[in-house]
Amino acid sequence: MSFLSETLSRVKPSPTIAVTTLAGELKAAGKDVIGLGAGEPDFDTPENIKAAGIAAINAGKTKYTAPDGIPELKQAICDKFQRENGLDYTPQQVSVGTGGKQILYNALMATLNPGDEVVIPAPYWVSYPDMVLLAGGTPVIAPATLENNFKITPADLEAAITPKTKWLIFNSPSNPTGAGYSRDELKGLTDVLLRHPHVWVMTDDMYEHLAYDGFEFCTPAQIEPALYDRTLTCNGVSKAYAMTGWRIGYAAGPVELIAAMRKIQSQSTSNPCSISQWAAIEALNGPQDFLTTNNAVFKRRRDLVVSMLSEIPGVTCPVPEGAFYVYPSIAGLIGKTTPSGVTIDNDETFSRALLEETGVAVVFGAAFGLSPNFRVSYATSDEALRTACERIQAFCAKLT
C-alpha cells in the first residue's frame, strides 16, 4: 500500500512552473537563457500600492483577519464589480483568497462530487483540469480551433454539456492564447447555458484589464443577467496590478456558494495575508491610469512578437485580443529535423530542442490541451523578446 494519496496519481505538476524552474536552474548554471514561460508582468507593483502595504505594517495590521477577507476589501471588490462590470454584489457574496487559483480551487472543492463534469475549453490554463481532478470531478475538454481564433462556438459548448455537467470554466482574455470573446460571441455561449439550467459558470477574468485594439471586455453575468444566480465571477490583482507575489484573488457569487468556499478556506489556509489585503484595497480604489501606460507597452511587445514569429515558414501566429501571451502553431514544422538529428514530432519535442539549442524557454502546447503549438509570454523586456524571437527564427531556419 502506498503511503501517498491515490488522488495524486490523477494530477501532474504544473508545466508552466516546471519550465520557469528549469530556465532558472540553467541561468544559475551560467547558461544564456531567455525565459518566456512565466505568466508574470515584469513591471513593479505601483508605488501607491506598495505604500499602502507599508502603511498597513506600520499601523500594526498584521494580525489574523476573517477567513475570507476583511470587510474593507470586500466592499472595495463590490464597488469594483459595480463600477467596471455593472454587477451588484454585497460583501456577503464575496470571497477573498490567497491568489486566484485558491478561489477557483475552493469553489470546485465545495461543489464537486464524483461523477460531476466540468466543461473546460481548450486551450486552457494548465491548472484547470488538475484542480477538477483533485476535487473529484471529471474534466470534459471542449477543443477550440486555430480557425476560430482559439474560441469555442455555441455548438462546441452544446456538444460538451451532459446531464452530469456542473460547471463551465470560462476564461477571457485567455491564458494561453490571449483570445478574447466579443459581446456577440459571449452572448452565443450564454444562450446555450440558458437552455441548461443545471450548469453553473465559473469565470476567470484575471486578464480583464489587459486588452488591446479596442477590444471590449465583458463577463457572462454582465451579458446575461439570468445567469447571475449561477455564476461565480472570479478575478484578482495579480496581473493587471503587477501583484503576483502579493497573492490576492477574489470572487463574487451566490451567498450559499460563498459560504461553502469560506468553510473550505477556514479549514485549510484561513485568511489571505493581512498586509496584501490592505494593498489590494488601494489597487482597486486608487489611481488606474498606469493600466493604460502598461497596456501600451504590452501591445508593443505583442506586435513585435507576432510580427517576428509570423515571418517563420511553417509557423502561424494569430494576433491575440488580450492578456500577454501568443500561441503560435507549428503545424508546418512537424516532421522536420534539427541539425543535431532530433525529429520534431510534437510541440514538446520542439520546445525541448529550442531550449537546449538556443536557450529560449517556452511552454509546449500539449500542456494547454491543444497541439501543435507553444506559448510565449511577452511580459518581459523588448530587448529580451527581440533576441528570443531572433533565436527562434534561426532555430526554425535550420530545420530540414
Side-chain angles (χ1 to χ4, degrees), residues 208-233:
E208 170 183 5
H209 292 298
L210 302 175
Y212 319 111
D213 302 327
F215 174 77
E216 183 182 356
F217 170 83
C218 48
T219 194
Q222 177 184 15
I223 293 297
E224 181 46 75
L227 292 176
Y228 175 88
D229 288 332
R230 51 188 171 108
T231 298
L232 183 69
T233 304

Side-chain angles (χ1 to χ4, degrees), residues 159-373:
I161 292 175
T162 76
K164 296 180 179 180
T165 305
K166 181 161 280 187
W167 286 102
L168 163 69
I169 296 181
F170 181 76
N171 178 214
S172 171
S174 159
N175 175 5
T177 66
Y181 288 74
S182 69
R183 284 181 170 267
D184 287 344
E185 290 168 334
L186 184 49
K187 183 63 166 64
L189 299 183
T190 59
D191 285 348
V192 172
L193 293 167
L194 288 177
R195 296 196 291 271
H196 298 277
H198 66 291
V199 181
W200 285 50
V201 190
M202 184 182 300
T203 76
D204 182 349
D205 298 344
M206 191 63 73
Y207 297 93
E208 170 183 5
H209 292 298
L210 302 175
Y212 319 111
D213 302 327
F215 174 77
E216 183 182 356
F217 170 83
C218 48
T219 194
Q222 177 184 15
I223 293 297
E224 181 46 75
L227 292 176
Y228 175 88
D229 288 332
R230 51 188 171 108
T231 298
L232 183 69
T233 304
C234 307
N235 211 316
V237 298
S238 298
K239 311 298 184 179
Y241 297 95
M243 295 177 67
T244 50
W246 296 79
R247 308 309 300 137
I248 294 291
Y250 58 83
V255 170
E256 183 180 11
L257 172 59
I258 295 300
M261 293 168 60
R262 181 184 308 119
K263 183 183 294 186
I264 297 286
Q265 190 159 309
S266 70
Q267 296 293 5
S268 54
T269 62
S270 196
N271 67 273
C273 172
S274 61
I275 299 157
S276 297
Q277 291 187 62
W278 288 101
I281 293 171
E282 175 62 22
L284 295 176
N285 290 345
Q288 307 290 304
D289 52 307
F290 69 91
L291 295 173
T292 302
T293 302
N294 290 357
N295 274 15
V297 174
F298 279 137
K299 180 182 184 299
R300 184 182 71 236
R301 293 171 175 177
R302 180 203 66 175
D303 293 345
L304 169 66
V305 172
V306 169
S307 65
M308 293 188 71
L309 295 182
S310 295
E311 293 173 1
I312 303 172
V315 173
T316 303
C317 189
V319 181
E321 288 88 356
F324 38 64
Y325 310 104
V326 296
Y327 198 66
S329 166
I330 58 166
L333 303 180
I334 298 299
K336 295 194 173 187
T337 304
T338 70
S340 61
V342 176
T343 299
I344 305 299
D345 53 359
N346 57 48
D347 47 42
E348 185 171 5
T349 302
F350 172 87
S351 300
R352 186 185 310 114
L354 181 69
L355 177 58
E356 291 174 351
E357 299 191 21
T358 73
V360 175
V362 299
V363 186
F364 57 93
F368 305 101
L370 190 72
S371 296
N373 298 74

